Amino acid sequence: MILKHIILGFIFGISMSFISWIVGMIINSILMKTAYYKKLSNLNFIKSKSLNKNIGIKYFKWIVKNTFFKFFNQKIKLENRNTDLTVIRNEMTISEISHLIGFIFVTIFAIYKSIDVGILFGLIMMIPNVLMNLYPLLLQQENKRRIDKMMKRKTKNCS
């Protein structure tokens, strides 16, 4: 019974995480039209570089850059030094907020399933959710901080 909950919870978590990407994009496109979106675009959950390192964001970044995930969002790419950083930062914000919405969406389902099926099922559901929504969100935030530094340097050099 426990093994069944682990396997089914993991499979359900993966399925819900994929669905949450679509839900995140839809809700994000609605939120973009609100005044509240500006506040959302400057979220920063983990400011510490060492904490990002300790939770493995560096390894996650390597996985994204060197596997099929690199084909998912082609708009977030630095082609050369003349690339418009503002456009890339906006695309990162869209991705970040979509993943945040997706993470919350799956978390709500995981809480419901913890009550309905069992706590183990809900906890196992959160593993794919963390890997498919929370880590991409944190990676986008780290990348946005790097882009902000680059933009600041660029404006300093132009002055």
Side-chain angles (χ1 to χ4, degrees):
M1 188 68 167
I2 290 176
L3 184 61
K4 181 181 175 185
H5 279 355
I6 291 172
I7 293 169
L8 291 177
F10 193 76
I11 292 169
F12 192 69
I14 290 171
S15 302
M16 287 303 299
S17 294
F18 275 116
I19 292 168
S20 75
W21 290 351
I22 297 166
V23 170
M25 286 187 278
I26 292 168
I27 294 174
N28 188 31
S29 66
I30 295 167
L31 278 176
M32 287 171 92
K33 296 174 176 99
T34 67
Y36 184 67
Y37 195 78
K38 182 74 173 160
K39 292 177 186 174
L40 279 177
S41 67
N42 292 311
L43 292 175
N44 203 358
F45 295 131
I46 300 177
K47 295 177 183 176
S48 166
K49 282 185 179 182
S50 62
L51 183 55
N52 267 341
K53 183 180 177 184
N54 290 339
I55 64 171
I57 292 294
K58 181 174 90 173
Y59 302 111
F60 185 76
K61 181 191 241 179
W62 184 90
I63 290 169
V64 169
K65 285 172 69 174
N66 295 297
T67 63
F68 66 92
F69 288 109
K70 68 182 170 191
F71 300 112
F72 276 21
N73 196 344
Q74 293 292 306
K75 293 179 184 176
I76 303 175
K77 233 181 202 174
L78 282 175
E79 297 293 331
N80 55 43
R81 293 208 177 261
N82 296 328
T83 305
D84 187 359
L85 297 177
T86 308
V87 172
I88 291 178
R89 190 184 190 288
N90 288 338
E91 289 298 326
M92 287 178 173
T93 301
I94 292 167
S95 176
E96 171 194 3
I97 295 173
S98 294
H99 280 294
L100 175 61
I101 293 165
F103 181 76
I104 293 168
F105 177 77
V106 176
T107 301
I108 291 168
F109 261 89
I111 292 168
Y112 171 74
K113 285 296 188 180
S114 292
I115 296 165
D116 187 46
V117 178
I119 191 80
L120 182 63
F121 191 93
L123 287 174
I124 296 297
M125 265 185 73
M126 287 302 291
I127 295 170
N129 189 27
V130 166
L131 294 173
M132 295 172 71
N133 280 315
L134 184 62
Y135 269 57
L137 162 94
L138 295 174
L139 179 61
Q140 293 304 340
Q141 287 184 353
E142 181 180 285
N143 288 337
K144 279 179 23 182
R145 285 191 297 272
R146 288 176 42 224
I147 291 226
D148 288 343
K149 284 180 187 176
M150 290 169 66
M151 289 169 62
K152 197 179 266 187
R153 254 186 274 140
K154 209 174 196 178
T155 55
K156 228 182 224 183
N157 292 338
C158 291
S159 307

